[in-house]
Amino acid sequence: MPVFVLDLAGLKQGFSQLRLEGAPADVELGGPDWLGPVRADLACDRSGDQVAIRGTVAAVARFECARCLAAFERSLVGEFSLFSDRQGVGRRGEDAELERGDYMVFHDGRQLDLRQAAQESLLLEWPMAPLCREDCRGLCPGCGADLNLGPCGCGSG
């Protein structure tokens, strides 16, 4: 069974803590931008077929600075929250409508798939314009020198 798919038979009733760890591919994060494992620390509360999960999901990603083009790595930590109930307990058509919401996911009574929620949590933390550091000075518009290393010789920077 994939790491981010919970076996509900092994999830006890009441409150429990879970730590999940797997490869970026386990939550369908592909490409060379993801480094190391994806970790989730979750608080689960199960009552019958209903499961409420809150916690964080974290991974390290490789970025290119939007100002100086230097490669750097940064940890991303996203909030994780969902509520799940068994498929088919509601009125007809109600399940599909509820699942369109942000936090509702249905399960089959045996497994609860957390992969999409974990993936979305991390992707929402991806910066629009990643910076290697807040005070990055970027590149000289004249000669292309990295201004973080000092002033350039062309006088444009």
Side-chain angles (χ1 to χ4, degrees), residues 44-90:
C44 302
D45 189 11
R46 182 172 183 185
S47 177
D49 285 332
Q50 297 178 342
V51 182
I53 299 177
R54 298 187 71 92
T56 59
V57 60
V60 176
R62 180 180 297 125
F63 298 95
E64 182 178 272
C65 181
R67 291 184 186 155
C68 70
L69 306 179
F72 67 98
E73 297 173 7
R74 180 159 299 142
S75 181
L76 299 177
V77 179
E79 295 293 318
F80 191 98
S81 180
L82 65 83
F83 180 77
S84 182
D85 201 353
R86 190 175 185 136
Q87 184 83 30
V89 295

Side-chain angles (χ1 to χ4, degrees), residues 5 21-22 34 49 56 62 66 77 85 88 104 112 116 142 153:
V5 176
E21 186 172 320
W34 298 96
D49 285 332
T56 59
R62 180 180 297 125
V77 179
D85 201 353
M104 187 66 172
L112 175 57
Q116 182 177 354

Side-chain angles (χ1 to χ4, degrees):
M1 181 178 309
V3 176
F4 286 86
V5 176
L6 293 182
D7 178 12
L8 293 176
L11 186 64
K12 68 179 183 173
Q13 294 290 324
F15 184 79
S16 59
Q17 297 273 35
L18 292 177
R19 172 168 266 191
L20 306 176
E21 186 172 320
D26 292 335
V27 289
E28 299 171 6
L29 294 169
D33 296 330
W34 298 96
L35 310 171
V38 175
R39 291 185 183 94
D41 289 308
L42 307 173
C44 302
D45 189 11
R46 182 172 183 185
S47 177
D49 285 332
Q50 297 178 342
V51 182
I53 299 177
R54 298 187 71 92
T56 59
V57 60
V60 176
R62 180 180 297 125
F63 298 95
E64 182 178 272
C65 181
R67 291 184 186 155
C68 70
L69 306 179
F72 67 98
E73 297 173 7
R74 180 159 299 142
S75 181
L76 299 177
V77 179
E79 295 293 318
F80 191 98
S81 180
L82 65 83
F83 180 77
S84 182
D85 201 353
R86 190 175 185 136
Q87 184 83 30
V89 295
R91 286 182 285 165
R92 196 173 181 162
E94 194 174 81
D95 290 353
E97 185 67 31
L98 284 172
E99 199 164 50
R100 283 188 219 141
D102 290 338
Y103 301 108
M104 187 66 172
V105 176
F106 287 96
H107 62 81
D108 62 3
R110 295 184 311 269
Q111 298 176 343
L112 175 57
D113 193 342
L114 304 177
R115 291 177 292 193
Q116 182 177 354
Q119 177 195 56
E120 288 174 3
S121 294
L122 287 171
L123 291 177
L124 285 171
E125 297 303 317
W126 194 273
M128 297 275 289
L131 298 177
C132 60
R133 60 183 203 237
E134 283 298 314
D135 63 343
C136 178
R137 297 184 61 215
L139 301 176
C140 172
C143 66
D146 187 347
L147 298 175
N148 294 311
L149 303 175
C152 66
C154 80
S156 296

